[in-house]
Amino acid sequence: GPAGAGKSLAARVIHLKSRRSDSPITVKDCATVSADEMASLIHTCTETTLVLEDVDQLPSNAQAVLVKHLKERSSARAPDAQVRVIATTAAHIPELVARGVFREDLFYRLHTFPIMVPGLHERVDDVQALADAILDTDLSEGGRSHAGFTAGARALLETMQWPGHVAQLEN
């Protein structure tokens, strides 16, 4: 999905609805991950979820480490002792594979259960639920409560175009 569409939010929901929800989730921007750091992340995230944001930015040496882990995991007998990897991207990975910038074997190992997250303007029916969840989260962190959105505010939220997607709604 596009930048700001809520890909990381979707990854967090997947983690929270899983049997690993009691474990912390680790979210990492791939642009700065070295091969050594990738190996460390995989080791420290055992039995929990590792979200790799903008996986298309992952350096080739870190891609190699991730492929090696995913290959070994596919033959492992203890799946619960493994890290769950969720990768997000706004890029068209097959195009990057064709250009030789992204490993084809990594693409196919990550592409086992793709979830498309369209921009918020394409899923207007989600605006109310997302707005309520964002408001609940923001206010509960400050120990405050709220009465919710007025009917006028809800109508306004539904008529907006949301070019900034979920990121714009959060702000």
Side-chain angles (χ1 to χ4, degrees), residues 73-92:
R73 178 177 76 180
S74 66
S75 64
R77 297 223 185 259
D80 291 342
Q82 298 295 327
V83 59
R84 169 188 288 127
V85 177
I86 300 176
T88 71
T89 185
H92 185 63

Side-chain angles (χ1 to χ4, degrees), residues 120-169:
L120 192 53
H121 63 281
E122 295 178 47
R123 50 191 173 116
V124 178
D125 292 344
D126 292 347
V127 171
Q128 296 300 324
L130 287 167
D132 288 337
I134 292 166
L135 184 62
D136 287 343
T137 302
D138 287 350
L139 292 178
S140 67
E141 287 174 358
R144 300 176 299 194
S145 63
H146 63 88
F149 291 97
T150 64
R154 288 188 179 282
L156 178 64
L157 290 172
E158 288 179 354
T159 60
M160 292 184 66
Q161 294 299 310
W162 302 110
H165 309 292
V166 174
Q168 180 184 9
L169 178 61

Side-chain angles (χ1 to χ4, degrees), residues 47-110:
E47 297 185 28
T48 190
T49 303
L50 171 61
V51 179
L52 298 174
E53 291 185 329
D54 298 319
V55 74
D56 56 296
Q57 300 294 315
L58 194 63
S60 60
N61 58 354
Q63 288 182 35
V65 171
L66 184 55
V67 165
K68 181 177 184 246
H69 164 74
L70 294 173
K71 281 181 183 177
E72 289 171 358
R73 178 177 76 180
S74 66
S75 64
R77 297 223 185 259
D80 291 342
Q82 298 295 327
V83 59
R84 169 188 288 127
V85 177
I86 300 176
T88 71
T89 185
H92 185 63
I93 300 288
E95 183 180 298
L96 298 177
V97 168
R99 289 191 355 233
V101 207
F102 197 87
R103 291 178 62 128
E104 184 176 26
D105 54 348
L106 179 56
F107 169 67
Y108 287 116
R109 289 189 183 280
L110 291 174

